[in-house]
Amino acid sequence: AVHVPRIITGCGHTACEACIANILTRVVAAGNHKKFRCPSCSVITPVLRGKAQSLKKNFLVLEMIAEHGVAVR
């Protein structure tokens, strides 16, 4: 599983790519998007083609992980 931190653009929260992808597998597409409900606040964010990779990486979290020597898979 890929645990790259992704920004949920509708609300600004961050979740790992694998977690978002797992949730999106249970969501029916609406056109070329899937509606992702943030697990923290329930705000809906449209995700292009239903692909978690289409959300922007959270580079601040990636830098913090790198500084503390934690591996991201």
Side-chain angles (χ1 to χ4, degrees), residues 18-43:
C19 298
I20 295 169
N22 183 36
I23 292 169
L24 287 170
T25 61
R26 299 184 297 272
V27 177
V28 176
N32 65 344
H33 288 81
K34 285 189 174 184
K35 293 179 179 180
F36 177 78
R37 182 180 302 275
C38 175
S40 297
C41 68
S42 298
V43 167

